[in-house]
């Protein structure tokens, strides 16, 4: 069978993660990449053994051999590049957040439906095997009616005032940073597990470091360098380091999400606790291969990742047997497996049928982010206005 040919635009930390995960599928070939400078593109292509290197996006879109494009660029390029790729007939998998705001995402979904291509947003966190098992347990009624959904996503890579990255700048990353960058992961994961959509928000956002020292030569995400005071310039920051968001859900559940990118010692600490009328589940991404199960009237349990004990719809996401650790990098193989499985079977795109997060998911997320920004600005509860009515169930 002909391998599916893929091009990658933006080869920083996450672009390289995508390339490695794509190659693990076995039926996908990464044949081209784009980086802003031709010599950088060629160096990366040599380093990563990718046949073709471009520095112009349009050259990749014009490449007839390419079936699908991954967008792992800065956020403000997601929508314009996705639109061009789809107009060139390419399937698109875009990193989150899908666009700069709900309005831009709505237009992109319409363009995707017009182009008739397969489209996805890379919410990989829902693809940890135990997260899929949590979803299966909720759907099977093992947790009961969901009452409380809470948790956080904490990081420290922006802890110092000399830590700098394009996400800090609203023109490039979007008006929201911590919420749009990592909060969307958390919100997608808990809505996917419970099937309930966020219906209203009450938000408090803070910029604990309003002035930062920007290195004159920018570094990649998570890269720390030892520079002298003369290597920096002062910049004012207009995006949030932190968000505390109270939540109401479509199925009646209540909750709270805490996100912060300046918590010393917290690296990529994504965590949820979901309490229902029968049990509670608690899980965190820094120890993704075990889940706590809270009971009343009997001893609490620890669910060690074991596909034999999983529901069939969750077991398929475990790539290794019981107790053998699976992590962050494996979640990309899983989301790409669903996306390219759909393409390989030649199935038509249908946002209500696909088993992966689509541009509609990305749009729903940005509708929530827009509501969070509005609530933080007004100090009031805000009902989420979904651009597309996809019913009560989270898609
Ligand atoms: C930076 O916060 C970042 O790279 C996010 O953009 C990713 O989505 C997250 O998985 C890791 O941290």
């Amino acid at each position: 069978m002909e391998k599916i040919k893929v091009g990658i635009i933006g080869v920083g930390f996450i672009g390289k993660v995508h390339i490695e995960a794509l190659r693990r599928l076995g039926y996908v070939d990464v044949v081209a990449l784009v980086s802003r400078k031709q010599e950088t593109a060629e160096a990366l292509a040599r380093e990563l053994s990718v046949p073709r290197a471009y520095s112009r996006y349009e050259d990749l879109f014009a490449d007839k051999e390419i079936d699908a494009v991954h967008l792992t660029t800065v956020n403000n390029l997601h929508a314009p590049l996705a639109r061009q790729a789809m107009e060139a007939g390419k399937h698109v998998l875009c990193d989150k957040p899908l666009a700069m705001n709900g309005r831009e995402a709505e237009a992109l979904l319409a363009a995707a439906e017009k182009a008739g291509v397969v489209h996805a947003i890379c919410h990989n966190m829902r693809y940890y095997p135990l997260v899929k098992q949590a979803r299966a347990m909720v759907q099977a009624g093992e947790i009961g009616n969901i009452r409380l959904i809470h948790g956080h996503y904490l990081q420290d890579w922006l802890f110092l005032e000399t830590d700098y990255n394009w996400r800090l700048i609203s023109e490039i990353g979007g008006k929201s940073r911590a919420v749009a960058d990592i909060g969307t992961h958390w919100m997608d994961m808990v809505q996917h597990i419970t099937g309930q959509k966020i219906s209203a928000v009450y938000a408090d956002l803070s910029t604990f470091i309003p002035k930062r020292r920007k290195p004159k030569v920018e570094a990649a995400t998570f890269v720390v360098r030892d520079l002298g005071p003369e290597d920096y310039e002062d910049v004012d920051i207009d995006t949030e380091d932190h968000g505390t968001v109270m939540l109401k859900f479509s199925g009646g559940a209540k909750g709270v999400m805490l996100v912060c990118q300046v918590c010393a010692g917290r690296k990529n600490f994504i965590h949820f606790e979901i309490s229902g009328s029968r049990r509670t589940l608690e899980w965190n991404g820094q120890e993704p291969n075990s889940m706590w199960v809270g009971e009343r009237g009997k001893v609490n349990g620890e669910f060690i990742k074991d596909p034999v004990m999983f529901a069939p719809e969750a077991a398929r996401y475990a790539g290794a047997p019981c107790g053998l650790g699976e992590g962050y990098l494996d979640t990309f193989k899983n989301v790409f497996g669903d996306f390219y499985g759909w393409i390989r079977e030649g199935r038509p795109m249908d946002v209500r049928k696909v088993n992966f997060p689509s541009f509609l998911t990305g749009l729903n997320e940005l509708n929530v982010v827009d509501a969070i920004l509005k609530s933080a600005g007004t100090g009031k509860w805000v009902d989420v206005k979904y651009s597309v009515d996809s019913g009560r169930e989270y898609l």
Side-chain angles (χ1 to χ4, degrees), residues 13 96 125 153 155 157 167 181-182 185 221-222 261 268 328:
F13 141 66
K96 34 51 54 194
M125 299 291 185
Y153 194 155
Q155 298 175 317
W157 68 288
R167 290 172 179 80
D181 183 36
I182 56 176
H185 272 312
T221 308
F222 295 120
Q261 297 187 310
N268 270 288
Y328 180 75

